[in-house]
Amino acid sequence: MASAYLETEKGTLRINDISLIWGGLFDYDVMNTPWSPPHKSHRIGENVDVDDMTTEGKKVTKIQLDKLIKEQGFNITVLDEKNHLHLTFP
């Protein structure tokens, strides 16, 4: 999906909170901010967070991702979390 986004929108998605190859915790708070328990669904490969800005500084919207997902035939649900987009893979 990130490759399709790069090709169509000319932007590089910034990925965060994705599970490790063999599962397990992949949450590390480098900013020392108030932190909630780890994203359980992220640990088993069902979810990934995408930043709301590309590495080029372009805004990423739910509308853009929903359109791309439909056009490419992906089975992904997008939830707008205000400062990032939460993607779920069934």
Side-chain angles (χ1 to χ4, degrees):
M1 190 191 85
S3 294
Y5 186 89
L6 177 62
E7 186 177 315
T8 60
E9 301 295 329
K10 308 301 182 228
T12 306
L13 295 177
R14 294 168 28 157
I15 308 297
N16 189 14
D17 289 330
I18 191 169
S19 36
L20 298 170
I21 235 172
W22 297 284
L25 178 63
F26 191 71
D27 276 329
Y28 183 71
D29 185 10
V30 297
M31 300 299 288
N32 240 359
T33 57
W35 188 57
S36 61
H39 299 54
K40 288 182 182 176
S41 61
H42 287 264
R43 289 200 249 164
I44 55 175
E46 294 177 348
N47 303 105
V48 63
D49 290 340
V50 174
D51 205 358
D52 65 350
M53 298 294 281
T54 66
T55 56
E56 297 81 14
K58 297 167 75 174
K59 182 76 173 158
V60 180
T61 67
K62 180 182 182 326
I63 292 169
Q64 286 174 319
L65 292 186
D66 283 338
K67 181 178 181 253
L68 176 71
I69 288 164
K70 184 177 180 183
E71 288 172 353
Q72 297 291 319
F74 295 125
N75 187 16
I76 304 168
T77 304
V78 180
L79 179 63
D80 189 345
E81 297 281 355
K82 304 301 177 206
N83 65 346
H84 70 279
L85 299 158
H86 181 86
L87 282 61
T88 301
F89 302 83

